[in-house]
Amino acid sequence: EVQLVESGGGLVQPGRSLKLSCAASGFTFSNYGMAWVCQAPTKGLEWVASISTGGGNTYYRDSVKGRFTISRDNAKNTLYLQMDSLRSEDTATYYCARNWFDYWGQGVMVTVSS
Amino acid sequence: DVVMTQTPVSLSLAIGQPASISCKSSQSLLGTSGKTFLNWILQRPGQSPKRLIYQVSKLYSEVPDRFSGSGSETEFTLKISRVEAEDLGVYYCWQGTHFPNTFGAGTKLELK
């Protein structure tokens, strides 16, 4: 059974950093591109970032480019999202998903507030 | 970015009634591969999204056949032949043909 389990969310002050993790199991992690998708409170879904199977290619939405870094450790079957210079508008639930959005994690809440 | 426009915003239906949700894209979603990467997902209340349909009309294996998808180019439709209680939630279309992937704003299906 495919499972994606996010962790690392929480309350953080504007300008600070947070690192999300997503532990994958039930499939060959290194064979799949992966992505992060966010959902602001009571809002719809927005793609945030994607990473290729080997990690050599990364892609970001404009609003997070230069602030967020997606990475992966295929030996640990884990996806990461390093979030720096956080802003109040980054407040959302962040989901880890396989690249074609066929499987999603349960999500982790990130709240950016002073 | 490709804009995905879903209608209606919400739908209130009784069990057993049919449902239809429209999704229109600002550009053709027919890719250079000849495939159209228009997909549907469902987010039930309090849950993470779940896959439903990929490439316009292909149901994932666990999805009941009361669901169907159709359309081409810029206009797509999700239909439920007879709504059941487990179908309530927010339906999103999303496109994977053009970078970046973009989602519709969602259609909330409520039970009457």
Side-chain angles (χ1 to χ4, degrees):
Chain A
E1 178 195 4
V2 171
Q3 285 201 326
L4 298 168
V5 180
E6 301 95 336
S7 59
L11 172 63
V12 62
Q13 292 179 327
R16 304 297 290 264
S17 299
L18 208 57
K19 187 172 186 176
L20 306 183
S21 298
C22 170
S25 60
F27 65 103
T28 304
F29 181 69
S30 58
N31 286 353
Y32 289 85
M34 298 294 295
W36 289 96
V37 176
C38 72
Q39 185 170 35
T42 71
K43 300 293 185 184
L45 300 163
E46 274 191 342
W47 168 81
V48 175
S50 292
I51 188 167
S52 59
T53 53
N57 294 302
T58 56
Y59 311 89
Y60 301 92
R61 68 179 299 107
D62 286 346
S63 60
V64 307
K65 217 173 281 187
R67 300 189 299 122
F68 289 10
T69 304
I70 188 172
S71 62
R72 65 190 297 160
D73 185 335
N74 285 344
K76 295 183 176 179
N77 291 340
T78 302
L79 176 72
Y80 302 101
L81 185 67
Q82 176 68 44
M83 310 166 74
D84 297 326
S85 303
L86 281 161
R87 306 167 179 168
S88 58
E89 55 264 36
D90 297 321
T91 294
T93 297
Y94 286 77
Y95 295 99
C96 155
R98 284 204 325 197
N99 218 22
W100 284 104
F101 302 157
D102 58 346
Y103 287 98
W104 298 66
Q106 85 287 353
V108 62
M109 184 69 200
V110 172
T111 303
V112 184
S113 174
S114 53
Chain B
D1 296 1
V2 176
V3 176
M4 306 296 289
T5 303
Q6 284 184 237
T7 54
V9 171
S10 64
L11 211 45
S12 182
L13 296 169
I15 301 288
Q17 283 190 295
S20 182
I21 299 171
S22 170
C23 175
K24 296 183 179 179
S25 57
S26 60
Q27 298 177 37
S28 172
L29 299 186
L30 177 61
T32 54
S33 63
K35 295 181 180 180
T36 300
F37 296 102
L38 183 283
N39 316 282
W40 294 91
I41 54 178
L42 165 61
Q43 187 172 30
R44 295 188 176 97
Q47 296 186 17
S48 58
K50 297 285 192 293
R51 64 189 193 179
L52 281 180
I53 290 173
Y54 65 103
Q55 292 178 34
V56 181
S57 60
K58 299 176 183 179
L59 270 62
Y60 283 100
S61 57
E62 71 277 10
V63 176
D65 61 7
R66 63 178 179 276
F67 287 89
S68 64
S70 62
S72 63
E73 301 280 357
T74 62
E75 298 194 8
F76 305 91
T77 304
L78 173 70
K79 291 187 177 181
I80 309 173
S81 58
R82 296 173 308 279
V83 167
E84 296 193 6
E86 65 180 16
D87 300 338
L88 71 93
V90 181
Y91 290 81
Y92 295 93
C93 61
W94 69 273
Q95 66 82 22
T97 299
H98 302 284
F99 178 85
N101 295 342
T102 48
F103 294 86
T107 296
K108 187 173 185 179
L109 175 58
E110 300 172 303
L111 296 182
K112 192 182 287 184

